[in-house]
Amino acid sequence: MPVIYIGGILGSKLYDRARQGYTWGDARGLLSRHWDAATLPPDAPRPRRVLLNEQLHEFKIIPGLLSSIVTRDVVNALEVGLGYRERADLFFLGYDWRDDYRRLGARIENEIQRVRLQFGQDQQVILIGQSVANLGLRYWLRQADPSYRAAIGKWYAFGPPWLGTWNAVHMLQEGCWPGSRLVNGFAPDTVAQCPSSWQLLPTESQMRDHDGQILHGFNIFDAHHWRDNGLPGHIPKLQARLDQGRASMRAISGWQAEDAHIPQTWFANARNLAVTAAVRGPS
């Protein structure tokens, strides 16, 4: 079956049409601070300012000398090990990983339609979701038309953060620096403008103070608790952002009947919050 691969954070190039250059995807983009909220897709329909159709297989920090692997190893495994060929029966779906993951479904449906135009209307596909893309996948599958669910032969979820991730809190505190702090990255105030940051907050919100003592009664979705416990409480519209994150996580939490229609396999390591919560459980 054809494969549609949907990458995680930093996995798609972002080309800013207004500035006529990549804000993410090459070394020049990394050396500029042009990662602003104005480039996010707006709610009202208008021409998209940022194009995000190209997968970032490797980030060329110094072309020809130094690069950081993103999905190049995945391409090698699928092509060498299983005989797939990119753009023949292996397709990478670019999307804006900064934006609300609940918008991802429309792009998935368009890609399935495109593949079926090429392979036939009865063709099923394999979906591979990396990390945070699986949140958007689950949200879409729970409300997708049955014809789209029938088009999924198998869904492989690599590192799905079903209960969120503490990396989201770290990025909101410290920013995101894919290279190092020697070159420009994404400062905390920039990260805070991205809806995806709040949709990744950990629902298993057991906080500890600097002495390692549990903060009983802490609620990560309460802005007052952020201000009282050392988290960045100066963020504009903090409570509204927290409410949006909580609503998103509730929409993909637990198990629903629609989930059973899709054969799926999850791959997660021992640090995954869903895994650790299951291990702690009495059953």
Side-chain angles (χ1 to χ4, degrees):
M1 286 184 280
V3 169
I4 299 176
Y5 188 100
I6 308 170
I9 286 180
L10 310 176
S12 300
K13 293 184 179 181
L14 304 179
Y15 182 82
D16 191 323
R17 292 193 299 161
R19 295 192 172 97
Q20 296 187 339
Y22 287 104
T23 57
W24 176 250
D26 64 12
R28 287 176 297 176
L30 191 62
L31 295 172
S32 64
R33 291 187 179 275
H34 292 160
W35 203 59
D36 57 81
T39 66
L40 288 171
D43 291 322
R46 67 178 184 181
R48 183 181 289 273
R49 174 175 165 181
V50 170
L51 303 179
L52 31 97
N53 297 322
E54 189 175 353
Q55 179 68 27
L56 182 62
H57 290 320
E58 54 187 310
F59 194 103
K60 297 179 180 179
I61 300 172
I62 303 177
L65 294 176
L66 180 62
S67 64
S68 177
I69 300 298
V70 182
T71 50
R72 177 59 63 192
D73 52 352
V74 174
V75 175
N76 293 342
L78 291 172
E79 290 192 339
V80 177
L82 296 175
Y84 281 93
R85 287 294 176 268
E86 189 174 2
R87 291 184 293 275
D89 51 9
L90 170 59
F91 307 102
F92 286 83
L93 177 64
Y95 70 101
D96 197 332
W97 31 267
R98 307 166 302 170
D99 196 20
D100 190 328
Y101 287 114
R102 294 173 295 185
R103 298 184 182 185
L104 182 55
R107 297 187 67 82
I108 298 172
E109 291 182 0
N110 289 338
E111 185 68 1
I112 290 175
Q113 291 173 3
R114 190 188 67 79
V115 170
R116 284 190 151 184
L117 283 174
Q118 180 177 346
F119 288 86
Q121 291 303 310
D122 295 328
Q123 177 65 62
Q124 286 190 311
V125 300
I126 293 173
L127 293 180
I128 299 180
Q130 180 180 335
S131 185
V132 297
N134 292 293
L135 305 186
L137 266 168
R138 175 179 274 184
Y139 181 84
W140 166 66
L141 284 168
R142 287 184 170 182
Q143 52 193 317
D145 186 275
S147 63
Y148 283 108
R149 286 201 291 269
I152 311 304
K154 187 68 180 285
W155 168 21
Y156 292 97
F158 292 159
W162 299 132
L163 299 182
T165 170
W166 285 102
N167 289 332
V169 180
H170 177 75
M171 288 192 298
L172 287 165
Q173 287 181 301
E174 306 293 337
C176 179
W177 310 93
S180 74
R181 290 181 183 269
L182 298 177
V183 293
N184 288 336
F186 311 138
D189 59 337
T190 304
V191 174
Q193 297 178 66
C194 302
S196 58
S197 302
W198 305 96
Q199 293 173 318
L200 287 169
L201 289 177
T203 56
E204 293 279 306
S205 55
Q206 186 180 80
M207 285 282 286
R208 297 178 181 270
D209 60 21
H210 291 293
D211 298 323
Q213 301 299 314
I214 294 177
L215 299 174
H216 295 286
F218 176 81
N219 180 0
I220 201 168
F221 295 110
D222 189 323
H224 296 291
H225 290 200
W226 280 56
R227 299 185 182 101
D228 295 342
N229 293 288
L231 295 176
H234 61 280
I235 296 173
K237 302 179 181 179
L238 175 59
Q239 188 58 59
R241 297 179 190 272
L242 292 170
D243 290 342
Q244 187 257 2
R246 176 166 48 192
S248 301
M249 291 304 292
R250 283 177 174 172
I252 61 99
S253 65
W255 183 261
Q256 295 185 8
E258 291 80 4
D259 300 338
H261 293 291
I262 310 298
Q264 49 192 284
T265 299
W266 308 344
F267 297 88
N269 63 24
R271 296 181 58 194
N272 185 283
L273 291 180
V275 173
T276 56
V279 171
R280 287 199 308 267
S283 60

